[in-house]
Amino acid sequence: METTQIVALALAVVAFVIYRQMRPRPVARPVGLIIAAVMVLAGLGGGGLVDPRHTALSLAVLVAELLVAAGLGVLRAMTTRVWRDQHGVAWSQGGVATLIAWVGSVAVRVAMIALTSLLGLASSQTSVLLFVGVTLGVQFLVVARRASALPTVPVPGVQTAR
C-alpha cells in the first residue's frame, strides 16, 4: 500500500471509531475489537517495522510506540461513560473528554513519527496501522472490563435464587 493510502485508511478508521464512540452502544458488541485486530494484522503484515540499519534503536522506538498506544487506549477508556440499563445490558458512550483524548492521541502519534525521523530511522507506514490497532484494542478491552465490573441490575419480574 502507498503511504497516502495507509494514512487515509487509518484516518477513515479513526473517524469511524470516534463517531461510533460518541453514540451510546452496547459494550458486548465486539466490532471495535475486530477492527483493532484487523488493523494490528495489517500493520504487522505490512512489514518494515524495524529499520535493519538501526535494529536496536528501532526496536526500542517500536516498543515505546506500542506502550504509548496502549496507554492512550487506557486514557480514552477511562473518559468513556459506562452504565447498565434497566435490563442489565452494559452500554458505553464517549464524551467531550474522549474526543479531546482522541485529538491528543493523534498529536502524540504525529510527534512520534517526527521523533522517528529525527533519530534517522526508516519509517514504516504500516506502523500507523499497528499503533491505531493497539490503541483501539486496549481501549475496547478496558471499557469491556469496566462494564463487567458494574453491578448487575435485577430484571423486573425475574426471581433470583437465594
Side-chain angles (χ1 to χ4, degrees), residues 51 53-65 109-123:
D51 184 344
R53 298 171 300 146
H54 308 285
T55 305
L57 180 59
S58 65
L59 273 173
V61 169
L62 179 61
V63 168
E65 287 177 344
R109 181 63 190 142
V110 169
M112 294 184 98
I113 291 170
L115 174 64
T116 300
S117 178
L118 283 172
L119 293 173
L121 298 174
S123 179

Side-chain angles (χ1 to χ4, degrees), residues 127-140:
S127 68
V128 172
L129 299 177
L130 183 60
F131 184 93
V132 171
V134 168
T135 197
L136 285 176
V138 169
Q139 181 180 1
F140 178 84

Side-chain angles (χ1 to χ4, degrees), residues 26-136:
V27 174
R29 292 189 181 159
V31 174
L33 195 56
I34 292 168
I35 291 171
V38 168
M39 298 291 283
V40 167
L41 290 174
L44 292 172
L49 295 171
V50 177
D51 184 344
R53 298 171 300 146
H54 308 285
T55 305
L57 180 59
S58 65
L59 273 173
V61 169
L62 179 61
V63 168
E65 287 177 344
L66 296 177
L67 289 173
V68 168
L72 291 168
V74 170
L75 173 71
R76 287 191 317 277
M78 299 312 290
T79 66
T80 302
R81 180 175 165 243
V82 181
W83 73 97
R84 287 196 189 275
D85 66 12
Q86 67 273 16
H87 303 290
V89 176
W91 290 76
S92 69
Q93 181 178 17
V96 173
T98 310
L99 190 56
I100 292 168
W102 265 112
V103 170
S105 295
V106 170
V108 166
R109 181 63 190 142
V110 169
M112 294 184 98
I113 291 170
L115 174 64
T116 300
S117 178
L118 283 172
L119 293 173
L121 298 174
S123 179
S124 168
Q125 297 83 2
T126 59
S127 68
V128 172
L129 299 177
L130 183 60
F131 184 93
V132 171
V134 168
T135 197
L136 285 176

